[in-house]
Amino acid sequence: FSMRQFEESILCCNKILVDYPQNGDVLFDKSCNLAMLSRLDDALDTLESAILQGIQYKIKAQKTRSFEKLVDNKRFQKLVS
C-alpha cells in the first residue's frame, strides 16, 4: 500500500484472508486499497466486513485518507457513524 501498488497489496490481503477470513486489520487494509482504485462498492463491502470484526475500524475509517472519495457517500456515512 505504501508503495502505491494497490493491486499487489490486494493480492497479499487475499492470501492472508484465505487462512484468516475474519482478520479485521487485513480486511481494513484491503478496503483501503480498493478505495484507492475507485472500486468503491467492493471497498464498502470489505470495510463493512472489517467493522463487523471490531468497532475500532469505524473510527479508523473516519480518519483514513483512503476513504476521502467516500465522505459524501451515504453508505459510507452509515457504516462509520
Side-chain angles (χ1 to χ4, degrees):
F1 182 87
S2 62
M3 294 170 39
R4 303 189 62 78
Q5 295 179 358
F6 306 119
E7 291 288 351
E8 286 184 35
S9 185
I10 290 169
L11 292 174
C12 290
C13 290
N14 287 340
K15 286 181 182 180
I16 296 168
L17 291 169
V18 168
D19 292 327
Y20 305 99
Q22 298 184 359
N23 184 312
D25 289 323
V26 176
L27 288 164
F28 186 85
D29 290 347
K30 181 178 176 180
S31 68
C32 291
N33 283 291
L34 290 165
M36 295 303 291
L37 292 170
S38 296
R39 292 171 50 188
L40 303 182
D41 288 334
D42 292 335
L44 290 170
D45 290 344
T46 308
L47 177 60
E48 184 174 16
S49 296
I51 290 170
L52 290 173
Q53 306 312 309
I55 195 164
Q56 69 269 29
Y57 300 108
K58 278 188 179 196
I59 299 162
K60 196 172 178 181
Q62 293 169 356
K63 300 176 183 179
T64 301
R65 291 181 50 196
S66 299
F67 298 114
E68 286 177 343
K69 300 173 187 176
L70 292 165
V71 171
D72 296 324
N73 181 291
K74 290 186 189 293
R75 184 174 173 207
F76 177 76
Q77 291 172 352
K78 186 176 180 181
L79 282 172
V80 300
S81 64

